[in-house]
Amino acid sequence: TPRYATPWQVSLTVLIGQLPSYPQQGYQHSSWLTADGRHLVMADETHGIPMHVAKVDTLSNISVVSMFQSQLLAPAQTTSIPHNPFMAGNYCVISYYHDGVQIYDLSDPLNPVQYAWYDTEPNNTTYSGYQGAWGTYPYFPSSTIIGTAAGKSDGTDEAAAAAKTGW
């Protein structure tokens, strides 16, 4: 299994571009295109590895143009794991193990700015394991975002959390 982002046009099974290596590379887990299709937001599901924004409008020349990561417990702890990013307009909604739901404004993909956050597992400050937010869904017509969790650090299950965005 490749450890890099490789877009494929499946109907033709032709390699149309790739990013075989990039700064602070981890285990590339999931990605989402911006609405204009020019940038790809990439989550490496690895402790301490930041989110990456790649310019993909020229598939023969894909490049990382910015990186960002949760700073919820910084500077003491910055090893939270990003899981599944989704783009909703200019906002990137990310589930972070340990740091909950994080929302970044990517109006300028070169300079992502934290917009909002909700910590689903505030008692997990050691950043071990995979407790906390596991998934988000930002596409309800009501502008509500839900976040689901993989479990609490005390071993109990956790339900979903919901917030209204106002965008």
Side-chain angles (χ1 to χ4, degrees):
T1 302
R3 287 179 30 129
Y4 52 83
T6 303
W8 288 84
Q9 188 170 341
V10 178
S11 63
L12 299 176
T13 60
V14 173
L15 178 65
I16 57 174
Q18 65 180 347
L19 182 63
S21 64
Y22 49 92
Q24 297 188 47
Q25 183 174 346
Y27 167 69
Q28 212 303 301
H29 174 71
S30 57
S31 304
W32 204 270
L33 280 171
T34 56
D36 63 8
R38 297 182 63 216
H39 293 88
L40 181 72
V41 181
M42 303 170 13
D44 289 81
E45 191 179 12
T46 306
H47 282 277
I49 299 296
M51 296 287 297
H52 296 80
V53 179
K55 190 172 185 287
V56 295
D57 56 351
T58 304
L59 293 175
S60 61
N61 189 26
I62 299 172
S63 62
V64 171
V65 295
S66 64
M67 296 182 288
F68 62 98
Q69 71 188 91
S70 173
Q71 299 292 313
L72 187 61
L73 296 182
Q77 188 62 268
T78 58
T79 59
S80 187
I81 304 169
H83 192 233
N84 291 322
F86 293 96
M87 289 300 299
N90 288 326
Y91 296 97
C92 183
V93 181
I94 310 160
S95 50
Y96 260 92
Y97 295 115
H98 317 106
D99 283 355
V101 177
Q102 301 277 323
I103 303 172
Y104 289 82
D105 182 347
L106 266 64
S107 297
D108 177 0
L110 301 179
N111 298 294
V113 176
Q114 187 179 48
Y115 176 76
W117 58 270
Y118 177 78
D119 191 357
T120 58
E121 178 52 22
N123 294 325
N124 185 2
T125 57
T126 62
Y127 285 16
S128 62
Y130 294 90
Q131 295 83 21
W134 184 83
T136 60
Y137 185 79
Y139 301 117
F140 290 106
S142 63
S143 297
T144 298
I145 293 175
I146 60 169
T148 61
K152 292 185 176 182
S153 55
D154 64 7
T156 61
D157 288 332
E158 189 170 3
K164 189 154 179 83
T165 64
W167 62 54

